[in-house]
Amino acid sequence: MTREAFDAFYMRMALREAEKAASDGEVPLGAVLVEPAVLEPAHDGHPPVFDWTPTAARILGRAHNQTEGLCDATAHAEMLALSAGFMAKGDWRLTGTRLYVTKEPCPMCAGAIVLARPDAVVWGVSDPKRGGGTTFGIFSHPGINHHPEIVTGVLEDESKAVLQDFFKRRRD
């Protein structure tokens, strides 16, 4: 399987989390933190070689927005998935992982992601008004010590549809 197919597989899982949020009356965002299996560890300056088979990977955390239900402004899907990942991995460093999010992380989540150090952040739809990466440049800021790989537009139409349907229902 290709990395692109691997990313789509886990983004579908994040979309299911977003649908759970919508059914709870929360803004429908979902996140999944995954640790792909390593075929060859990093050595001699070469990066590790990963097995892009979804069944070989380990899910460290999955979550959806719960700000309303938990009465907590920080209970974003990304924050909850990262916290689950810290516990599952037994470390606050999430190197070797990929975080899948249906919508681009906000500045708070982007900051937490940088501190947690996943290898990559994969999102469906960008947020041109409040995006931690595209609007605020947090992931690429020269003053930070970790710059995760950013992959955008994975299942973008599906991610956008979940958000648009939710807000259309709220307006009606």
Side-chain angles (χ1 to χ4, degrees):
M1 179 174 276
T2 65
R3 190 190 73 185
E4 291 77 19
F6 183 92
D7 287 347
F9 179 90
Y10 284 106
M11 186 61 75
R12 281 186 197 88
M13 193 174 289
L15 281 164
R16 286 194 294 277
E17 289 293 326
E19 290 165 0
K20 289 179 190 175
S23 70
D24 291 344
E26 303 274 359
V27 174
L29 269 74
V32 178
L33 182 67
V34 177
E35 186 175 47
V38 176
L39 291 174
E40 294 178 30
H43 60 87
D44 299 329
H46 293 90
V49 176
F50 293 104
D51 178 351
W52 297 115
T53 307
T55 55
R58 182 168 76 131
I59 298 169
L60 299 177
R62 66 174 103 194
H64 54 276
N65 275 0
Q66 296 184 55
T67 55
E68 299 294 336
L70 296 177
C71 297
D72 181 350
T74 68
H76 291 195
E78 302 94 323
M79 301 294 281
L80 298 170
L82 290 173
S83 290
F86 301 142
M87 295 301 293
K89 204 162 175 175
D91 194 347
W92 60 269
R93 292 176 193 87
L94 297 175
T95 54
T97 65
R98 296 176 75 77
L99 179 64
Y100 295 88
V101 188
T102 55
K103 186 177 79 60
E104 178 181 359
C106 73
M108 172 187 69
C109 294
I113 290 165
V114 166
L115 293 173
R117 298 184 176 113
D119 289 358
V121 182
V122 181
W123 68 71
V125 63
S126 293
D127 185 348
K129 292 183 181 178
R130 293 174 218 82
T134 58
T135 303
F136 293 96
I138 292 170
F139 296 120
S140 60
H141 192 280
I144 61 171
N145 64 347
H146 177 70
H147 300 272
E149 174 191 6
I150 303 298
V151 180
T152 65
V154 176
L155 301 184
E156 182 175 12
D157 292 340
E158 294 91 329
S159 297
K160 188 183 294 184
V162 170
L163 287 162
Q164 288 174 335
D165 291 349
F166 174 80
F167 286 110
K168 184 180 183 305
R169 283 193 307 274
R170 279 185 102 172
R171 285 189 299 274
D172 292 347

